[in-house]
Amino acid sequence: MALSEAFLCLNHMLLSNSSSNFGKQRNLGLVQFHHSLRTLGNGIKRCGFRSISFCSTDRTNLTKRSCLLSCKCQRADRVSGLTADDGRPASLSINGKTNVSNVQELNELLQSDGEGVASGDTNGGGTVGGRKGIEEEAWDLLKESVVYYCGNPIGTIAASDTSSSSILNYDQVFIRDFIPSGIAFLLKGEYDIVRNFILHTLQLQSWEKTMDCHSPGQGLMPASFKVRTVPLDGDNSVTEDVLDPDFGEAAIGRVAPVDSGLWWIILLRAYGKCTGDLSVQERVDVQTGIKMILKLCLADGFDMFPTLLVTDGSCMIDRRMGIHGHPLEIQALFYSALLCAREMLAPEDGSADLIRALNNRLVALSFHIREYYWIDMKKLNEIYRYKTEEYSYDAVNKFNIYPDQIPSWLVEFMPSRGGYLIGNLQPAHMDFRFFSLGNLWSIVGGLATVDQSHAILDLVEEKWSELVADMPLKICYPALEGQEWRIITGSDPKNTAWSYHNGGSWPTLLWQLTVACMKMNRPEIAEKAVMLAERRLSRDKWPEYYDTRRARFIGKQSRLFQTWSIAGYLVAKLLLANPSAAKVLITEEDSELVNAFSCMLSANPRRKRGRKGFKQPFII
């Protein structure tokens, strides 16, 4: 027995050493790349090492390129407080079990879970058979992905795949990608990195970035940014850190991100809810940043609908996939961000008009999505019998949808129990595809009613083999194929059928599924999905996405060690262990909104214009 215990001790020492070396080797290429120099363009935020100063909270100076962030600092090796003294996540508890401490327990685990150990799989526990548990490995990888700005953690890079020869922008910090990382850190009590991320991305918000001499609207948040270390004033002995944002002018397709600002507001609220520190959201510059995003999204235009009109590729699906117009994902995030912003906006005279416009949009948007985007067997039968070419204020088929648009796959796909929100709605066009993020966040943000939320989860259960299969979760269903794929995607070779955005499976969606399940008190769905993901994620090296109908292959161009795949899994595990923590992300309608919506439903939705006698608390 003494010999066996000595062997275990030696094995533990070897594991610790090899783990440390592994992290350094994987980050070596990234460190070298971060220190490579290239000509600085206009609008790179600087942080020097010579003096200490900080831009004031006066937002009038933030639009000037001369506003610099400077500090005398030294790059830190790790996030403060992220780890215990031995380099592992502090106070890590996994499935109620700690690391294996003796030979007897090891033998019991080997006998009870021999298949997993033999095949190289691990469970969610600690070190088993000389291997780290999945959660411990995930935390180590998440820490390795942290990016530092003047010695302080500011975000996480998109992926750490050193096996790929093409880096593209995977070494940058994406706002949408950092959200699960930020939530994971918040739930673990690591607040500094989230606070730094919120404040530094805010400083990038009002920059004048152009594409072919044209500037996007004020208030736009960048899609991503990169921390570069460069010589200061040509002196190679002194360096400075600079933040180089990308608003879409360097992205594939040159599309500005619509979702970045919406996610930023959602994360800001989650920070306040989790920490209890409301001083960040009460800052003058943060309040101004919220208002700039709202004014950009609430600006009047030519569109008749209350939904947000956007171009293709402006969200998580960032390539041409036929989602231009009013995609559900943007509407769900828009609605959630409006509720979060209304909760955080300071009551003042200057905010009165903005809050009034915000309330009006909330009521109109919720009615529009719930009434016209919802599809189930009953609604499908109604569409099947639609009359077209209706010209009147009381038309039933308001958007002139032709029944022949109903695809054959939907007839077989739609179960008798359950339903979902369609992907898009425009004149004479309904995109009947199921988009996971839009539906899940409609549950989380309260855009879907309680009945609709349960019906969406019912659909996920009914169509488990199609939507979840061997790896959660399909980004959309079904995939575009053949001539339809060629026309809609422009023959995009990355978005071939059942790959990438075109029906690919994305593990990061685990966390949104889990939050939705926690809100509706149906954790068993999330538990089943997480258990399914645990069988492969670590073994497959945490890929970005999976291919084929059943997600059996790692994506053909999928990056490994994708940070939001890692963080999405960790958030799901943390929420399953503590379901009440989901409250920091969930938004609920208040009584005024519920009453206003009820009034609209009780009145004839096909009412004639100028009808008298109908009073409503908000202007529509």
Side-chain angles (χ1 to χ4, degrees):
M1 180 66 69
L3 180 61
S4 300
E5 290 178 349
F7 174 77
L8 276 179
C9 182
L10 176 61
N11 188 45
H12 176 74
M13 293 172 60
L14 291 174
L15 176 62
S16 301
N17 292 335
S18 63
S19 170
S20 176
N21 293 334
F22 175 65
K24 293 178 181 178
Q25 291 172 356
R26 287 188 46 233
N27 272 340
L28 180 60
L30 292 172
V31 171
Q32 292 174 344
F33 188 85
H34 277 296
H35 284 272
S36 64
L37 305 180
R38 70 179 178 89
T39 303
L40 296 177
N42 289 334
I44 295 183
K45 194 166 290 295
R46 297 170 178 267
C47 184
F49 290 80
R50 290 183 174 176
S51 61
I52 302 177
S53 65
F54 186 78
C55 291
S56 70
T57 56
D58 183 3
R59 290 291 294 182
T60 59
N61 294 326
L62 294 179
T63 58
K64 299 179 181 180
R65 294 179 182 275
S66 60
C67 177
L68 306 178
L69 294 180
S70 302
C71 65
K72 186 177 181 181
C73 55
Q74 184 175 357
R75 185 177 298 274
D77 292 330
R78 64 181 63 190
V79 181
S80 175
L82 273 181
T83 61
D85 294 336
D86 61 355
R88 294 187 177 87
S91 303
L92 186 62
S93 176
I94 307 169
N95 292 341
K97 296 181 68 63
T98 55
N99 289 352
V100 178
S101 59
N102 56 61
V103 175
Q104 181 178 358
E105 185 177 355
L106 174 64
N107 290 333
E108 291 174 355
L109 283 171
L110 288 174
Q111 293 174 2
S112 62
D113 195 26
E115 180 181 354
V117 175
S119 63
D121 291 339
T122 59
N123 59 19
T127 306
V128 179
R131 291 201 49 175
K132 287 186 178 181
I134 296 177
E135 284 188 64
E136 187 178 357
E137 176 191 355
W139 278 113
D140 287 347
L141 293 172
L142 184 61
K143 288 183 296 177
E144 289 179 21
S145 72
V146 171
V147 173
Y148 296 88
Y149 177 60
C150 298
N152 298 313
I154 192 177
T156 52
I157 58 174
S160 303
D161 187 0
T162 56
S163 65
S164 177
S165 59
S166 177
I167 296 177
L168 295 177
N169 54 2
Y170 282 85
D171 64 333
Q172 298 187 21
V173 180
F174 279 81
I175 288 186
R176 76 171 65 97
D177 289 39
F178 178 74
I179 301 304
S181 296
I183 299 300
F185 286 129
L186 287 177
L187 295 179
K188 290 292 287 185
E190 305 298 337
Y191 305 141
D192 287 348
I193 185 173
V194 180
R195 185 180 188 275
N196 294 338
F197 173 85
I198 289 171
L199 294 179
H200 283 298
T201 51
L202 176 66
Q203 305 306 311
L204 301 175
Q205 178 188 30
S206 57
W207 284 23
E208 298 176 1
K209 302 297 287 187
T210 64
M211 206 282 283
D212 294 339
C213 302
H214 180 72
S215 300
Q218 189 180 35
L220 183 70
M221 297 292 280
S224 63
F225 63 86
K226 183 177 177 62
V227 179
R228 303 186 189 278
T229 302
V230 299
L232 181 61
D233 299 331
D235 185 356
N236 291 327
S237 63
V238 182
T239 62
E240 62 179 347
D241 280 359
V242 296
L243 293 181
D244 186 6
D246 178 11
F247 288 80
E249 75 276 10
I252 296 174
R254 302 302 190 266
V255 178
V258 178
D259 60 342
S260 290
L262 306 177
W263 276 124
W264 183 86
I265 291 177
I266 292 170
L267 182 64
L268 174 62
R269 174 183 178 268
Y271 175 84
K273 288 282 187 181
C274 216
T275 64
D277 176 18
L278 303 183
S279 63
V280 173
Q281 66 189 47
E282 292 172 351
R283 288 172 47 141
V284 174
D285 56 345
V286 174
Q287 286 285 312
T288 305
I290 296 174
K291 293 176 183 177
M292 290 174 65
I293 295 172
L294 293 180
K295 289 178 180 178
L296 180 63
C297 295
L298 294 172
D300 293 330
F302 293 99
D303 193 23
M304 289 289 293
F305 304 160
T307 42
L308 203 57
L309 178 64
V310 299
T311 188
D312 220 340
S314 59
C315 52
M316 179 180 175
I317 297 178
D318 57 5
R319 296 166 77 101
R320 180 177 168 187
M321 270 289 292
I323 63 168
H324 56 280
H326 308 85
L328 177 64
E329 176 179 331
I330 292 296
Q331 315 316 320
L333 293 174
F334 182 35
Y335 186 82
S336 180
L338 288 178
L339 285 176
C340 292
R342 190 180 65 168
E343 184 179 318
M344 295 185 293
L345 278 174
E348 57 186 17
D349 294 339
S351 301
D353 291 340
L354 184 61
I355 293 177
R356 187 180 301 110
L358 187 155
N359 282 328
N360 291 340
R361 183 61 71 90
L362 280 170
V363 176
L365 180 61
S366 61
F367 177 84
H368 187 84
I369 296 294
R370 295 172 180 182
E371 185 75 5
Y372 304 123
Y373 275 61
W374 182 254
I375 187 81
D376 55 15
M377 186 58 76
K378 179 182 178 181
K379 185 64 176 291
L380 193 59
N381 270 280
E382 292 178 7
I383 298 174
Y384 183 70
R385 295 172 58 82
Y386 265 172
K387 294 179 181 179
T388 59
E389 317 300 329
E390 292 183 285
Y391 176 81
S392 66
Y393 295 117
D394 58 351
V396 175
N397 185 4
K398 291 181 180 295
F399 306 101
N400 202 35
I401 303 300
Y402 296 95
D404 288 345
Q405 288 185 30
I406 298 176
S408 57
W409 66 263
L410 181 59
V411 178
E412 302 299 327
F413 178 77
M414 182 61 68
S416 56
R417 184 177 73 99
Y420 64 97
L421 297 167
I422 63 172
N424 212 330
L425 175 65
Q426 299 183 72
H429 174 67
M430 296 182 78
D431 187 345
F432 290 101
R433 286 176 292 176
F434 176 88
F435 288 86
S436 295
L437 176 52
N439 274 275
L440 294 175
W441 210 258
S442 293
I443 298 175
V444 175
L447 180 56
T449 66
V450 173
D451 290 340
Q452 288 174 344
S453 298
H454 279 297
I456 292 170
L457 295 181
D458 287 342
L459 180 80
V460 172
E461 284 191 308
E462 285 282 329
K463 296 299 178 179
W464 189 267
S465 60
E466 287 92 345
L467 301 178
V468 181
D470 291 349
M471 175 58 67
L473 185 65
K474 282 277 184 292
I475 191 171
C476 72
Y477 181 91
L480 302 172
E481 300 182 277
Q483 190 66 13
E484 186 180 29
W485 164 76
R486 294 185 179 88
I487 294 173
I488 292 180
T489 73
S491 300
D492 186 350
K494 195 169 185 177
N495 271 325
T496 53
W498 309 108
S499 178
Y500 203 45
H501 300 135
N502 189 15
S505 296
W506 293 69
T508 187
L509 293 173
L510 270 175
W511 78 273
Q512 286 129 349
L513 173 65
T514 305
V515 179
C517 292
M518 295 300 105
K519 179 179 181 180
M520 305 313 297
N521 196 25
R522 299 175 66 171
E524 67 281 356
I525 300 176
E527 289 173 354
K528 182 179 177 182
V530 170
M531 288 179 62
L532 194 65
E534 283 179 330
R535 299 177 184 177
R536 297 177 58 190
L537 274 178
S538 176
R539 182 185 65 192
D540 294 342
K541 300 180 181 179
W542 307 92
E544 180 182 13
Y545 63 93
Y546 286 80
D547 284 355
T548 73
R549 281 180 177 268
R550 294 197 56 85
R552 300 186 66 184
F553 293 168
I554 297 174
K556 57 186 174 183
Q557 296 188 43
S558 176
R559 293 303 195 280
L560 304 180
F561 301 105
Q562 187 79 15
T563 303
W564 70 348
S565 295
I566 298 165
Y569 165 76
L570 287 173
V571 172
K573 293 291 287 188
L574 288 167
L575 292 177
L576 286 173
N578 182 18
S580 63
K583 293 179 181 179
V584 303
L585 294 163
I586 293 171
T587 51
E588 303 283 359
E589 289 180 326
D590 61 22
S591 57
E592 287 186 347
L593 282 178
V594 173
N595 291 335
F597 183 72
S598 299
C599 289
M600 294 187 69
L601 285 180
S602 61
N604 183 359
R606 293 179 288 276
R607 62 190 181 278
K608 294 185 178 181
R609 183 168 54 183
R611 174 180 174 177
K612 297 181 180 180
F614 175 65
K615 296 181 180 180
Q616 51 195 24
F618 300 110
I619 300 172
I620 304 300

